[in-house]
Amino acid sequence: MDPFVTAHDPAEQSRAQRQRVRSQLFRWLLFVVLLGFVQIATIAWPALSSWAVVPLTGPGLVGLVTAPLLHADWGHLFSNALGLVVLGTLVGTVYPRSAWRIVLAAWVGAGVFTWFIGRPSVHLGASGLVHGLFFALFTLALLRRDRPAVVAAMIAMMLFGGMLLTVLPHEWRISWEMHAGGALAGIIAAYVWRHRDPPPPRKLYSWEIEELQAEALSEAKALDDAAYEPERPREVPVLWVRPERPDDRGTVLPFRRPDDGPR
């Protein structure tokens, strides 16, 4: 059974949803722990900080892969940790099939955008990924408009609604380019893969059930007719042919009763 297929049984659906939440929460917590180890390694080897995005430079292209793992200090890391855990869990829970695509698009897209238009500085941190996750949730809610999508977007808006403004320049120490690049990548990824995850099953109204039953009955009747009704004849034998000559009226056969003898 496909683990990403939503069950139609409400109890089974709820159980699968809780399991998915726990799994995604554990994964993102593990990722934050990994970032903590990378931060410790950066303190021990400061040269690792050079693996950031440096716009329009060859060595700066390495940051497309490594920049989200690096942070300027512990405060920078902690400011991104909550967003990664909450938004990453929401994306992975509601959109399990497209989650890794959205993460990859935001991860790389933020760096590519910054490398092309960023200020001549060092750009690092997972804030571009965080903004990509946030804007993907927001965009998917507008495009899909099903209940899980709307609820996930509302949670993201209540906790991180300020991200709508942080994509604009406001502080010189903050890389708004990473924010804007991640947001743009999240919007594009949400539009491209908006149909990747099937909509959740919903409870049908009585009139919808009656329509489905009527359609099923009509289909069954059509199958029965096709199975038991004889096939329509394709050729009908000719019973009488018009004489070729107008004065030829054909031959009249005498009618005799069965008990009449020959005459």
Side-chain angles (χ1 to χ4, degrees):
M1 179 180 178
D2 189 349
F4 293 154
V5 175
T6 306
H8 290 274
D9 181 18
E12 182 66 20
Q13 179 183 351
S14 178
R15 186 193 65 79
Q17 194 81 348
R18 289 194 301 269
Q19 182 179 358
R20 194 177 301 159
V21 170
R22 289 193 295 265
S23 175
Q24 292 296 322
L25 180 61
F26 175 77
R27 293 179 183 180
W28 284 99
L29 286 174
L30 194 63
F31 179 68
V32 170
V33 172
L34 173 63
L35 295 182
F37 281 112
V38 173
Q39 183 64 22
I40 295 174
T42 305
I43 296 174
W45 297 283
L48 293 177
S49 299
S50 62
W51 292 5
V53 175
V54 182
L56 301 178
T57 63
L61 290 173
V62 178
L64 301 182
V65 178
T66 57
L69 301 173
L70 306 172
H71 291 82
D73 49 42
W74 287 104
H76 187 201
L77 173 58
F78 292 149
S79 65
N80 289 328
L82 180 61
L84 288 173
V85 173
V86 175
L87 298 176
T89 301
L90 287 174
V91 171
T93 301
V94 182
Y95 310 105
R97 289 183 174 175
S98 54
W100 70 269
R101 294 175 172 85
I102 295 173
V103 170
L104 182 61
W107 186 297
V108 178
V112 171
F113 184 85
T114 303
W115 192 87
F116 276 106
I117 72 162
R119 294 163 291 174
S121 180
V122 175
H123 300 260
L124 46 78
S127 56
L129 174 58
V130 175
H131 281 71
L133 296 173
F134 174 81
F135 277 86
L137 286 170
F138 186 76
T139 305
L140 285 168
L142 294 177
L143 295 175
R144 292 170 59 98
R145 289 177 288 182
D146 55 66
R147 183 178 298 178
V150 173
V151 171
M154 290 180 62
I155 295 174
M157 283 293 297
M158 286 189 295
L159 296 178
F160 308 101
M163 290 186 185
L164 295 173
L165 299 178
T166 53
V167 296
L168 303 175
H170 58 289
E171 292 186 25
W172 69 271
R173 292 184 67 253
I174 297 178
S175 177
W176 68 269
E177 297 93 335
M178 293 284 282
H179 297 178
L184 181 61
I187 293 173
I188 295 175
Y191 178 80
V192 171
W193 294 303
R194 64 190 184 278
H195 299 308
R196 185 74 183 178
D197 294 274
R202 63 180 181 86
K203 185 177 181 180
L204 298 177
Y205 294 100
S206 58
W207 58 270
E208 292 178 308
I209 297 176
E210 292 175 356
E211 287 185 353
L212 292 176
Q213 291 175 344
E215 291 178 0
L217 183 61
S218 177
E219 292 177 358
K221 185 177 182 301
L223 291 175
D224 289 342
D225 292 343
Y228 298 109
E229 286 291 331
E231 185 180 1
R232 296 180 61 182
R234 299 182 181 180
E235 295 183 359
V236 179
V238 178
L239 302 180
W240 179 77
V241 178
R242 180 184 296 274
E244 296 181 359
R245 295 180 303 171
D247 58 344
D248 186 1
R249 298 183 179 180
T251 303
V252 179
L253 299 178
F255 175 77
R256 296 184 176 89
R257 295 180 180 277
D259 55 348
D260 294 344
R263 295 182 180 178

